Amino acid sequence: MSDVPTVSAGTDAGMDPKQLNGKPTDGWTFLLPPGWARFPTGEGRARELDAAIEQVVARALPDSMPRDRAEPYRHMLRDELYKTLAESQEAGTGAVYLPTEPMDGVLVPATIAEVEIVSDVGQDPLRVVTSILSGGYEQSDPAEVDGRPAVRVVQTKHNMRRDPDWPEVSTRQVLYVVSRDEAAGEWLVLSFSTLWNSEKTELLAEALVLFFDALMTTFRWAGPGATPMSLPERTVPGSA
């Protein structure tokens, strides 16, 4: 357990809950495996995003490398990360989690997005889902996330193409829509996405969905008044 980094997020992430006013669901934390990073993409968090990207670049291409050889690759990595995250920023996503290192030599085709939503009081969680997903979904199940009611939803799409130069792929998106505060109509959405284009990579995608479900079992509220389980002190690069 001590080798597994944690990531903390939410309104008061990274601050001492005892020193703040608020409620337990104002912050949250969960475990992530090594090789992942959290990128704050919410409004007003440009400096935090810059810092997160620099952490990832520094880890991938450390200062010990010859500057004349490493600097072009640093620029390329920065540009690619900003390009990847730009769409999430425009969509109002609070944070994006990306694998930044291969796992056993394999690039991990997955992302996790974090979105906070305010709806009408008493809103059905499936109506919150339909406000996010286009094209419906094929599976929904009631769930509980650290004591709060939630719904888990799965959407699969085939014959998708990012742009004309990319091959067609299938995608699977798994959402946990969690009620943070019924009286205020506050929701937290954690959305996992993966893709595949062959039988072999489909097996990897199925394994990655299981990984995300396992990750969600480690989710704990960490805002003022919360008593989350003891987690390691280490955080992933870019975490708040």
Side-chain angles (χ1 to χ4, degrees):
M1 178 75 76
S2 61
D3 291 331
V4 181
T6 64
V7 58
S8 299
T11 305
D12 301 316
M15 303 180 71
D16 183 355
K18 296 179 181 178
Q19 300 176 355
L20 299 165
N21 296 319
K23 53 186 181 295
T25 56
D26 284 346
W28 47 90
T29 187
F30 53 85
L31 301 181
L32 276 176
W36 284 71
R38 179 180 189 268
F39 299 92
T41 53
E43 185 177 356
R45 306 191 72 178
R47 288 186 179 180
E48 293 174 68
L49 177 59
D50 291 343
I53 288 176
E54 288 307 311
Q55 285 185 41
V56 171
V57 171
R59 175 168 290 191
L61 299 160
D63 289 340
S64 58
M65 298 181 66
R67 180 179 177 84
D68 59 337
R69 293 176 56 189
E71 199 58 31
Y73 292 104
R74 292 188 183 113
H75 284 298
M76 289 173 59
L77 180 54
R78 287 190 192 98
D79 291 346
E80 186 61 30
L81 285 170
Y82 279 115
K83 180 180 177 182
T84 299
L85 296 166
E87 185 176 338
S88 297
Q89 289 180 288
E90 293 174 2
T93 303
V96 175
Y97 304 77
L98 296 175
T100 58
E101 301 173 15
M103 182 174 62
D104 293 330
V106 177
L107 294 176
V108 180
T111 62
I112 301 171
E114 176 186 295
V115 183
E116 296 177 64
I117 293 177
V118 178
S119 70
D120 294 336
V121 176
Q123 182 84 283
D124 186 312
L126 290 178
R127 294 196 65 181
V128 177
V129 170
T130 56
S131 71
I132 302 169
L133 290 180
S134 60
Y137 50 88
E138 68 264 24
Q139 179 183 341
S140 66
D141 299 292
E144 183 177 286
V145 175
D146 196 24
R148 298 295 304 159
V151 62
R152 177 186 182 275
V153 174
V154 179
Q155 180 192 65
T156 304
K157 292 184 177 181
H158 301 288
N159 304 319
M160 304 297 294
R161 194 186 294 271
R162 181 175 176 178
D163 61 47
D165 296 328
W166 283 59
E168 286 190 349
V169 298
S170 296
T171 66
R172 180 158 296 145
Q173 190 169 2
V174 181
L175 274 69
Y176 279 80
V177 182
V178 190
S179 173
R180 291 176 58 201
D181 187 330
E182 296 96 334
E186 295 177 352
W187 301 84
L188 171 66
V189 180
L190 288 168
S191 173
F192 172 84
S193 297
T194 186
L195 55 83
W196 68 92
N197 63 357
S198 68
E199 290 185 7
K200 184 176 181 179
T201 53
E202 183 177 7
L203 292 175
L204 174 60
E206 291 172 354
L208 288 170
V209 169
L210 295 176
F211 151 77
F212 179 59
D213 286 330
L215 180 151
M216 288 302 300
T217 67
T218 73
F219 181 101
R220 296 294 184 270
W221 300 112
T227 54
M229 66 178 183
S230 178
L231 293 174
E233 291 295 328
R234 288 179 54 209
T235 58
V236 297
S239 56

PDB file of all heavy atoms in Angstrom, residues 115-152:
ATOM      1  N   VAL A 115     -15.805  16.055 -12.922  1.00  0.00           N
ATOM      2  CA  VAL A 115     -16.719  17.172 -13.196  1.00  0.00           C
ATOM      3  C   VAL A 115     -17.625  17.383 -11.990  1.00  0.00           C
ATOM      4  O   VAL A 115     -18.188  16.424 -11.453  1.00  0.00           O
ATOM      5  CB  VAL A 115     -17.594  16.892 -14.437  1.00  0.00           C
ATOM      6  CG1 VAL A 115     -18.479  18.105 -14.749  1.00  0.00           C
ATOM      7  CG2 VAL A 115     -16.740  16.531 -15.635  1.00  0.00           C
ATOM      8  N   GLU A 116     -17.749  18.631 -11.568  1.00  0.00           N
ATOM      9  CA  GLU A 116     -18.700  18.982 -10.514  1.00  0.00           C
ATOM     10  C   GLU A 116     -19.919  19.638 -11.163  1.00  0.00           C
ATOM     11  O   GLU A 116     -19.776  20.528 -11.999  1.00  0.00           O
ATOM     12  CB  GLU A 116     -18.053  19.924  -9.508  1.00  0.00           C
ATOM     13  CG  GLU A 116     -16.877  19.299  -8.750  1.00  0.00           C
ATOM     14  CD  GLU A 116     -16.215  20.286  -7.799  1.00  0.00           C
ATOM     15  OE1 GLU A 116     -16.885  20.719  -6.847  1.00  0.00           O
ATOM     16  OE2 GLU A 116     -15.045  20.631  -8.038  1.00  0.00           O
ATOM     17  N   ILE A 117     -21.100  19.198 -10.753  1.00  0.00           N
ATOM     18  CA  ILE A 117     -22.343  19.675 -11.361  1.00  0.00           C
ATOM     19  C   ILE A 117     -23.302  20.123 -10.270  1.00  0.00           C
ATOM     20  O   ILE A 117     -23.388  19.497  -9.211  1.00  0.00           O
ATOM     21  CB  ILE A 117     -22.990  18.556 -12.209  1.00  0.00           C
ATOM     22  CG1 ILE A 117     -22.116  18.239 -13.425  1.00  0.00           C
ATOM     23  CG2 ILE A 117     -24.395  18.947 -12.659  1.00  0.00           C
ATOM     24  CD1 ILE A 117     -22.644  17.100 -14.267  1.00  0.00           C
ATOM     25  N   VAL A 118     -24.033  21.196 -10.535  1.00  0.00           N
ATOM     26  CA  VAL A 118     -25.125  21.635  -9.662  1.00  0.00           C
ATOM     27  C   VAL A 118     -26.421  21.537 -10.459  1.00  0.00           C
ATOM     28  O   VAL A 118     -26.537  22.097 -11.553  1.00  0.00           O
ATOM     29  CB  VAL A 118     -24.915  23.079  -9.163  1.00  0.00           C
ATOM     30  CG1 VAL A 118     -26.097  23.513  -8.308  1.00  0.00           C
ATOM     31  CG2 VAL A 118     -23.611  23.189  -8.372  1.00  0.00           C
ATOM     32  N   SER A 119     -27.391  20.786  -9.922  1.00  0.00           N
ATOM     33  CA  SER A 119     -28.666  20.578 -10.606  1.00  0.00           C
ATOM     34  C   SER A 119     -29.801  21.054  -9.712  1.00  0.00           C
ATOM     35  O   SER A 119     -29.579  21.553  -8.598  1.00  0.00           O
ATOM     36  CB  SER A 119     -28.845  19.084 -10.925  1.00  0.00           C
ATOM     37  OG  SER A 119     -29.074  18.353  -9.731  1.00  0.00           O
ATOM     38  N   ASP A 120     -31.021  20.874 -10.197  1.00  0.00           N
ATOM     39  CA  ASP A 120     -32.183  21.156  -9.360  1.00  0.00           C
ATOM     40  C   ASP A 120     -32.177  20.217  -8.160  1.00  0.00           C
ATOM     41  O   ASP A 120     -31.747  19.059  -8.251  1.00  0.00           O
ATOM     42  CB  ASP A 120     -33.472  20.947 -10.155  1.00  0.00           C
ATOM     43  CG  ASP A 120     -33.621  21.960 -11.286  1.00  0.00           C
ATOM     44  OD1 ASP A 120     -33.012  23.048 -11.175  1.00  0.00           O
ATOM     45  OD2 ASP A 120     -34.313  21.658 -12.271  1.00  0.00           O
ATOM     46  N   VAL A 121     -32.659  20.693  -7.036  1.00  0.00           N
ATOM     47  CA  VAL A 121     -32.729  19.865  -5.838  1.00  0.00           C
ATOM     48  C   VAL A 121     -33.623  18.655  -6.098  1.00  0.00           C
ATOM     49  O   VAL A 121     -34.690  18.767  -6.700  1.00  0.00           O
ATOM     50  CB  VAL A 121     -33.267  20.688  -4.651  1.00  0.00           C
ATOM     51  CG1 VAL A 121     -33.444  19.803  -3.421  1.00  0.00           C
ATOM     52  CG2 VAL A 121     -32.327  21.848  -4.344  1.00  0.00           C
ATOM     53  N   GLY A 122     -33.163  17.481  -5.688  1.00  0.00           N
ATOM     54  CA  GLY A 122     -33.952  16.272  -5.868  1.00  0.00           C
ATOM     55  C   GLY A 122     -33.872  15.676  -7.257  1.00  0.00           C
ATOM     56  O   GLY A 122     -34.656  14.772  -7.585  1.00  0.00           O
ATOM     57  N   GLN A 123     -32.945  16.117  -8.064  1.00  0.00           N
ATOM     58  CA  GLN A 123     -32.803  15.622  -9.435  1.00  0.00           C
ATOM     59  C   GLN A 123     -32.449  14.136  -9.445  1.00  0.00           C
ATOM     60  O   GLN A 123     -31.636  13.667  -8.661  1.00  0.00           O
ATOM     61  CB  GLN A 123     -31.704  16.405 -10.145  1.00  0.00           C
ATOM     62  CG  GLN A 123     -31.478  16.037 -11.595  1.00  0.00           C
ATOM     63  CD  GLN A 123     -32.437  16.748 -12.522  1.00  0.00           C
ATOM     64  OE1 GLN A 123     -33.601  16.382 -12.625  1.00  0.00           O
ATOM     65  NE2 GLN A 123     -31.946  17.768 -13.187  1.00  0.00           N
ATOM     66  N   ASP A 124     -33.097  13.386 -10.341  1.00  0.00           N
ATOM     67  CA  ASP A 124     -32.763  11.976 -10.546  1.00  0.00           C
ATOM     68  C   ASP A 124     -31.348  11.900 -11.124  1.00  0.00           C
ATOM     69  O   ASP A 124     -31.026  12.596 -12.081  1.00  0.00           O
ATOM     70  CB  ASP A 124     -33.765  11.357 -11.517  1.00  0.00           C
ATOM     71  CG  ASP A 124     -33.571   9.853 -11.684  1.00  0.00           C
ATOM     72  OD1 ASP A 124     -32.428   9.421 -11.894  1.00  0.00           O
ATOM     73  OD2 ASP A 124     -34.569   9.121 -11.621  1.00  0.00           O
ATOM     74  N   PRO A 125     -30.489  11.017 -10.560  1.00  0.00           N
ATOM     75  CA  PRO A 125     -29.110  10.949 -11.075  1.00  0.00           C
ATOM     76  C   PRO A 125     -29.026  10.584 -12.545  1.00  0.00           C
ATOM     77  O   PRO A 125     -28.102  11.006 -13.242  1.00  0.00           O
ATOM     78  CB  PRO A 125     -28.455   9.877 -10.189  1.00  0.00           C
ATOM     79  CG  PRO A 125     -29.574   9.132  -9.560  1.00  0.00           C
ATOM     80  CD  PRO A 125     -30.679  10.117  -9.419  1.00  0.00           C
ATOM     81  N   LEU A 126     -29.987   9.816 -13.048  1.00  0.00           N
ATOM     82  CA  LEU A 126     -29.949   9.456 -14.466  1.00  0.00           C
ATOM     83  C   LEU A 126     -30.226  10.665 -15.354  1.00  0.00           C
ATOM     84  O   LEU A 126     -29.764  10.721 -16.500  1.00  0.00           O
ATOM     85  CB  LEU A 126     -30.934   8.330 -14.766  1.00  0.00           C
ATOM     86  CG  LEU A 126     -30.548   6.960 -14.190  1.00  0.00           C
ATOM     87  CD1 LEU A 126     -31.612   5.919 -14.512  1.00  0.00           C
ATOM     88  CD2 LEU A 126     -29.183   6.513 -14.722  1.00  0.00           C
ATOM     89  N   ARG A 127     -30.939  11.647 -14.843  1.00  0.00           N
ATOM     90  CA  ARG A 127     -31.128  12.881 -15.610  1.00  0.00           C
ATOM     91  C   ARG A 127     -29.835  13.690 -15.637  1.00  0.00           C
ATOM     92  O   ARG A 127     -29.540  14.376 -16.610  1.00  0.00           O
ATOM     93  CB  ARG A 127     -32.262  13.707 -15.020  1.00  0.00           C
ATOM     94  CG  ARG A 127     -33.630  13.051 -15.152  1.00  0.00           C
ATOM     95  CD  ARG A 127     -34.748  14.025 -14.912  1.00  0.00           C
ATOM     96  NE  ARG A 127     -34.786  15.071 -15.923  1.00  0.00           N
ATOM     97  CZ  ARG A 127     -35.681  16.081 -15.916  1.00  0.00           C
ATOM     98  NH1 ARG A 127     -36.584  16.159 -14.942  1.00  0.00           N
ATOM     99  NH2 ARG A 127     -35.648  16.992 -16.860  1.00  0.00           N
ATOM    100  N   VAL A 128     -29.063  13.592 -14.559  1.00  0.00           N
ATOM    101  CA  VAL A 128     -27.743  14.222 -14.565  1.00  0.00           C
ATOM    102  C   VAL A 128     -26.867  13.546 -15.611  1.00  0.00           C
ATOM    103  O   VAL A 128     -26.129  14.199 -16.349  1.00  0.00           O
ATOM    104  CB  VAL A 128     -27.098  14.124 -13.163  1.00  0.00           C
ATOM    105  CG1 VAL A 128     -25.686  14.714 -13.189  1.00  0.00           C
ATOM    106  CG2 VAL A 128     -27.941  14.843 -12.123  1.00  0.00           C
ATOM    107  N   VAL A 129     -26.973  12.217 -15.700  1.00  0.00           N
ATOM    108  CA  VAL A 129     -26.191  11.470 -16.691  1.00  0.00           C
ATOM    109  C   VAL A 129     -26.512  11.928 -18.103  1.00  0.00           C
ATOM    110  O   VAL A 129     -25.619  12.177 -18.919  1.00  0.00           O
ATOM    111  CB  VAL A 129     -26.450   9.957 -16.548  1.00  0.00           C
ATOM    112  CG1 VAL A 129     -25.838   9.195 -17.724  1.00  0.00           C
ATOM    113  CG2 VAL A 129     -25.887   9.440 -15.238  1.00  0.00           C
ATOM    114  N   THR A 130     -27.789  12.043 -18.419  1.00  0.00           N
ATOM    115  CA  THR A 130     -28.180  12.412 -19.781  1.00  0.00           C
ATOM    116  C   THR A 130     -27.774  13.840 -20.129  1.00  0.00           C
ATOM    117  O   THR A 130     -27.678  14.179 -21.307  1.00  0.00           O
ATOM    118  CB  THR A 130     -29.700  12.253 -19.986  1.00  0.00           C
ATOM    119  OG1 THR A 130     -30.410  13.025 -18.994  1.00  0.00           O
ATOM    120  CG2 THR A 130     -30.113  10.788 -19.856  1.00  0.00           C
ATOM    121  N   SER A 131     -27.516  14.660 -19.111  1.00  0.00           N
ATOM    122  CA  SER A 131     -27.025  16.013 -19.402  1.00  0.00           C
ATOM    123  C   SER A 131     -25.548  15.987 -19.801  1.00  0.00           C
ATOM    124  O   SER A 131     -25.030  16.968 -20.334  1.00  0.00           O
ATOM    125  CB  SER A 131     -27.205  16.915 -18.172  1.00  0.00           C
ATOM    126  OG  SER A 131     -26.296  16.574 -17.136  1.00  0.00           O
ATOM    127  N   ILE A 132     -24.874  14.855 -19.552  1.00  0.00           N
ATOM    128  CA  ILE A 132     -23.454  14.729 -19.871  1.00  0.00           C
ATOM    129  C   ILE A 132     -23.244  13.893 -21.120  1.00  0.00           C
ATOM    130  O   ILE A 132     -22.483  14.262 -22.016  1.00  0.00           O
ATOM    131  CB  ILE A 132     -22.699  14.081 -18.691  1.00  0.00           C
ATOM    132  CG1 ILE A 132     -22.893  14.901 -17.427  1.00  0.00           C
ATOM    133  CG2 ILE A 132     -21.218  13.919 -19.013  1.00  0.00           C
ATOM    134  CD1 ILE A 132     -22.400  14.198 -16.188  1.00  0.00           C
ATOM    135  N   LEU A 133     -23.909  12.733 -21.180  1.00  0.00           N
ATOM    136  CA  LEU A 133     -23.717  11.795 -22.278  1.00  0.00           C
ATOM    137  C   LEU A 133     -24.647  12.109 -23.436  1.00  0.00           C
ATOM    138  O   LEU A 133     -25.830  12.369 -23.233  1.00  0.00           O
ATOM    139  CB  LEU A 133     -23.972  10.360 -21.809  1.00  0.00           C
ATOM    140  CG  LEU A 133     -22.975   9.728 -20.848  1.00  0.00           C
ATOM    141  CD1 LEU A 133     -23.422   8.317 -20.507  1.00  0.00           C
ATOM    142  CD2 LEU A 133     -21.576   9.703 -21.446  1.00  0.00           C
ATOM    143  N   SER A 134     -24.135  12.053 -24.638  1.00  0.00           N
ATOM    144  CA  SER A 134     -24.975  12.145 -25.822  1.00  0.00           C
ATOM    145  C   SER A 134     -25.116  10.744 -26.401  1.00  0.00           C
ATOM    146  O   SER A 134     -24.172   9.962 -26.391  1.00  0.00           O
ATOM    147  CB  SER A 134     -24.344  13.077 -26.862  1.00  0.00           C
ATOM    148  OG  SER A 134     -23.070  12.596 -27.251  1.00  0.00           O
ATOM    149  N   GLY A 135     -26.300  10.411 -26.860  1.00  0.00           N
ATOM    150  CA  GLY A 135     -26.488   9.103 -27.487  1.00  0.00           C
ATOM    151  C   GLY A 135     -26.944   8.013 -26.553  1.00  0.00           C
ATOM    152  O   GLY A 135     -27.022   6.849 -26.938  1.00  0.00           O
ATOM    153  N   GLY A 136     -27.263   8.360 -25.293  1.00  0.00           N
ATOM    154  CA  GLY A 136     -27.782   7.364 -24.372  1.00  0.00           C
ATOM    155  C   GLY A 136     -26.708   6.447 -23.818  1.00  0.00           C
ATOM    156  O   GLY A 136     -25.521   6.656 -23.994  1.00  0.00           O
ATOM    157  N   TYR A 137     -27.153   5.388 -23.137  1.00  0.00           N
ATOM    158  CA  TYR A 137     -26.249   4.439 -22.491  1.00  0.00           C
ATOM    159  C   TYR A 137     -26.936   3.091 -22.452  1.00  0.00           C
ATOM    160  O   TYR A 137     -28.159   2.973 -22.560  1.00  0.00           O
ATOM    161  CB  TYR A 137     -25.902   4.913 -21.073  1.00  0.00           C
ATOM    162  CG  TYR A 137     -27.109   5.278 -20.245  1.00  0.00           C
ATOM    163  CD1 TYR A 137     -27.776   4.312 -19.492  1.00  0.00           C
ATOM    164  CD2 TYR A 137     -27.603   6.589 -20.228  1.00  0.00           C
ATOM    165  CE1 TYR A 137     -28.896   4.645 -18.745  1.00  0.00           C
ATOM    166  CE2 TYR A 137     -28.716   6.925 -19.490  1.00  0.00           C
ATOM    167  CZ  TYR A 137     -29.355   5.958 -18.746  1.00  0.00           C
ATOM    168  OH  TYR A 137     -30.470   6.286 -18.008  1.00  0.00           O
ATOM    169  N   GLU A 138     -26.113   2.026 -22.326  1.00  0.00           N
ATOM    170  CA  GLU A 138     -26.685   0.686 -22.368  1.00  0.00           C
ATOM    171  C   GLU A 138     -26.804   0.024 -21.011  1.00  0.00           C
ATOM    172  O   GLU A 138     -27.440  -1.033 -20.880  1.00  0.00           O
ATOM    173  CB  GLU A 138     -25.870  -0.230 -23.282  1.00  0.00           C
ATOM    174  CG  GLU A 138     -24.475  -0.568 -22.777  1.00  0.00           C
ATOM    175  CD  GLU A 138     -23.422   0.333 -23.378  1.00  0.00           C
ATOM    176  OE1 GLU A 138     -23.761   1.455 -23.795  1.00  0.00           O
ATOM    177  OE2 GLU A 138     -22.262  -0.087 -23.434  1.00  0.00           O
ATOM    178  N   GLN A 139     -26.229   0.620 -19.968  1.00  0.00           N
ATOM    179  CA  GLN A 139     -26.260  -0.019 -18.658  1.00  0.00           C
ATOM    180  C   GLN A 139     -26.224   1.035 -17.571  1.00  0.00           C
ATOM    181  O   GLN A 139     -25.461   1.996 -17.647  1.00  0.00           O
ATOM    182  CB  GLN A 139     -25.060  -0.965 -18.504  1.00  0.00           C
ATOM    183  CG  GLN A 139     -24.974  -1.670 -17.168  1.00  0.00           C
ATOM    184  CD  GLN A 139     -23.717  -2.531 -17.053  1.00  0.00           C
ATOM    185  OE1 GLN A 139     -23.095  -2.880 -18.059  1.00  0.00           O
ATOM    186  NE2 GLN A 139     -23.330  -2.880 -15.838  1.00  0.00           N
ATOM    187  N   SER A 140     -27.052   0.872 -16.545  1.00  0.00           N
ATOM    188  CA  SER A 140     -26.994   1.743 -15.372  1.00  0.00           C
ATOM    189  C   SER A 140     -27.311   0.908 -14.144  1.00  0.00           C
ATOM    190  O   SER A 140     -28.216   0.072 -14.162  1.00  0.00           O
ATOM    191  CB  SER A 140     -27.982   2.907 -15.490  1.00  0.00           C
ATOM    192  OG  SER A 140     -29.323   2.447 -15.470  1.00  0.00           O
ATOM    193  N   ASP A 141     -26.548   1.132 -13.094  1.00  0.00           N
ATOM    194  CA  ASP A 141     -26.714   0.376 -11.856  1.00  0.00           C
ATOM    195  C   ASP A 141     -26.595   1.316 -10.671  1.00  0.00           C
ATOM    196  O   ASP A 141     -25.712   2.193 -10.654  1.00  0.00           O
ATOM    197  CB  ASP A 141     -25.645  -0.714 -11.738  1.00  0.00           C
ATOM    198  CG  ASP A 141     -25.707  -1.729 -12.866  1.00  0.00           C
ATOM    199  OD1 ASP A 141     -26.685  -2.491 -12.912  1.00  0.00           O
ATOM    200  OD2 ASP A 141     -24.783  -1.726 -13.703  1.00  0.00           O
ATOM    201  N   PRO A 142     -27.456   1.140  -9.655  1.00  0.00           N
ATOM    202  CA  PRO A 142     -27.283   1.938  -8.438  1.00  0.00           C
ATOM    203  C   PRO A 142     -25.967   1.563  -7.767  1.00  0.00           C
ATOM    204  O   PRO A 142     -25.509   0.420  -7.842  1.00  0.00           O
ATOM    205  CB  PRO A 142     -28.492   1.551  -7.578  1.00  0.00           C
ATOM    206  CG  PRO A 142     -28.921   0.213  -8.102  1.00  0.00           C
ATOM    207  CD  PRO A 142     -28.583   0.203  -9.559  1.00  0.00           C
ATOM    208  N   ALA A 143     -25.349   2.532  -7.113  1.00  0.00           N
ATOM    209  CA  ALA A 143     -24.070   2.292  -6.457  1.00  0.00           C
ATOM    210  C   ALA A 143     -24.003   3.146  -5.201  1.00  0.00           C
ATOM    211  O   ALA A 143     -24.879   3.978  -4.933  1.00  0.00           O
ATOM    212  CB  ALA A 143     -22.912   2.636  -7.407  1.00  0.00           C
ATOM    213  N   GLU A 144     -22.974   2.913  -4.433  1.00  0.00           N
ATOM    214  CA  GLU A 144     -22.699   3.721  -3.251  1.00  0.00           C
ATOM    215  C   GLU A 144     -21.209   4.024  -3.240  1.00  0.00           C
ATOM    216  O   GLU A 144     -20.388   3.126  -3.428  1.00  0.00           O
ATOM    217  CB  GLU A 144     -23.093   2.981  -1.975  1.00  0.00           C
ATOM    218  CG  GLU A 144     -22.899   3.809  -0.717  1.00  0.00           C
ATOM    219  CD  GLU A 144     -23.364   3.086   0.541  1.00  0.00           C
ATOM    220  OE1 GLU A 144     -24.587   2.973   0.742  1.00  0.00           O
ATOM    221  OE2 GLU A 144     -22.485   2.635   1.308  1.00  0.00           O
ATOM    222  N   VAL A 145     -20.870   5.283  -3.058  1.00  0.00           N
ATOM    223  CA  VAL A 145     -19.468   5.704  -3.053  1.00  0.00           C
ATOM    224  C   VAL A 145     -19.168   6.364  -1.710  1.00  0.00           C
ATOM    225  O   VAL A 145     -19.640   7.469  -1.440  1.00  0.00           O
ATOM    226  CB  VAL A 145     -19.174   6.659  -4.225  1.00  0.00           C
ATOM    227  CG1 VAL A 145     -17.750   7.181  -4.144  1.00  0.00           C
ATOM    228  CG2 VAL A 145     -19.410   5.966  -5.560  1.00  0.00           C
ATOM    229  N   ASP A 146     -18.454   5.658  -0.872  1.00  0.00           N
ATOM    230  CA  ASP A 146     -18.114   6.114   0.477  1.00  0.00           C
ATOM    231  C   ASP A 146     -19.338   6.655   1.212  1.00  0.00           C
ATOM    232  O   ASP A 146     -19.305   7.750   1.786  1.00  0.00           O
ATOM    233  CB  ASP A 146     -17.005   7.162   0.427  1.00  0.00           C
ATOM    234  CG  ASP A 146     -16.366   7.377   1.811  1.00  0.00           C
ATOM    235  OD1 ASP A 146     -16.430   6.459   2.643  1.00  0.00           O
ATOM    236  OD2 ASP A 146     -15.805   8.478   2.042  1.00  0.00           O
ATOM    237  N   GLY A 147     -20.404   5.885   1.171  1.00  0.00           N
ATOM    238  CA  GLY A 147     -21.596   6.229   1.929  1.00  0.00           C
ATOM    239  C   GLY A 147     -22.585   7.132   1.232  1.00  0.00           C
ATOM    240  O   GLY A 147     -23.688   7.364   1.749  1.00  0.00           O
ATOM    241  N   ARG A 148     -22.247   7.626   0.043  1.00  0.00           N
ATOM    242  CA  ARG A 148     -23.148   8.515  -0.679  1.00  0.00           C
ATOM    243  C   ARG A 148     -23.793   7.763  -1.839  1.00  0.00           C
ATOM    244  O   ARG A 148     -23.159   6.946  -2.513  1.00  0.00           O
ATOM    245  CB  ARG A 148     -22.383   9.728  -1.234  1.00  0.00           C
ATOM    246  CG  ARG A 148     -21.734  10.599  -0.172  1.00  0.00           C
ATOM    247  CD  ARG A 148     -22.765  11.258   0.715  1.00  0.00           C
ATOM    248  NE  ARG A 148     -23.718  12.048  -0.081  1.00  0.00           N
ATOM    249  CZ  ARG A 148     -24.931  12.401   0.346  1.00  0.00           C
ATOM    250  NH1 ARG A 148     -25.355  12.018   1.541  1.00  0.00           N
ATOM    251  NH2 ARG A 148     -25.711  13.116  -0.412  1.00  0.00           N
ATOM    252  N   PRO A 149     -25.091   8.036  -2.091  1.00  0.00           N
ATOM    253  CA  PRO A 149     -25.764   7.364  -3.213  1.00  0.00           C
ATOM    254  C   PRO A 149     -25.186   7.788  -4.552  1.00  0.00           C
ATOM    255  O   PRO A 149     -24.784   8.940  -4.738  1.00  0.00           O
ATOM    256  CB  PRO A 149     -27.221   7.818  -3.071  1.00  0.00           C
ATOM    257  CG  PRO A 149     -27.158   9.090  -2.292  1.00  0.00           C
ATOM    258  CD  PRO A 149     -25.980   8.954  -1.362  1.00  0.00           C
ATOM    259  N   ALA A 150     -25.139   6.842  -5.474  1.00  0.00           N
ATOM    260  CA  ALA A 150     -24.546   7.104  -6.781  1.00  0.00           C
ATOM    261  C   ALA A 150     -25.189   6.192  -7.815  1.00  0.00           C
ATOM    262  O   ALA A 150     -25.973   5.297  -7.489  1.00  0.00           O
ATOM    263  CB  ALA A 150     -23.036   6.867  -6.735  1.00  0.00           C
ATOM    264  N   VAL A 151     -24.854   6.439  -9.065  1.00  0.00           N
ATOM    265  CA  VAL A 151     -25.257   5.553 -10.149  1.00  0.00           C
ATOM    266  C   VAL A 151     -24.038   5.337 -11.042  1.00  0.00           C
ATOM    267  O   VAL A 151     -23.247   6.253 -11.257  1.00  0.00           O
ATOM    268  CB  VAL A 151     -26.449   6.130 -10.951  1.00  0.00           C
ATOM    269  CG1 VAL A 151     -26.087   7.450 -11.613  1.00  0.00           C
ATOM    270  CG2 VAL A 151     -26.941   5.133 -11.981  1.00  0.00           C
ATOM    271  N   ARG A 152     -23.881   4.090 -11.489  1.00  0.00           N
ATOM    272  CA  ARG A 152     -22.788   3.741 -12.412  1.00  0.00           C
ATOM    273  C   ARG A 152     -23.402   3.483 -13.776  1.00  0.00           C
ATOM    274  O   ARG A 152     -24.322   2.686 -13.914  1.00  0.00           O
ATOM    275  CB  ARG A 152     -22.047   2.492 -11.918  1.00  0.00           C
ATOM    276  CG  ARG A 152     -20.926   2.003 -12.855  1.00  0.00           C
ATOM    277  CD  ARG A 152     -20.372   0.682 -12.350  1.00  0.00           C
ATOM    278  NE  ARG A 152     -19.272   0.180 -13.173  1.00  0.00           N
ATOM    279  CZ  ARG A 152     -19.417  -0.539 -14.277  1.00  0.00           C
ATOM    280  NH1 ARG A 152     -20.650  -0.824 -14.726  1.00  0.00           N
ATOM    281  NH2 ARG A 152     -18.366  -0.967 -14.947  1.00  0.00           N
TER     282      ARG A 152
END
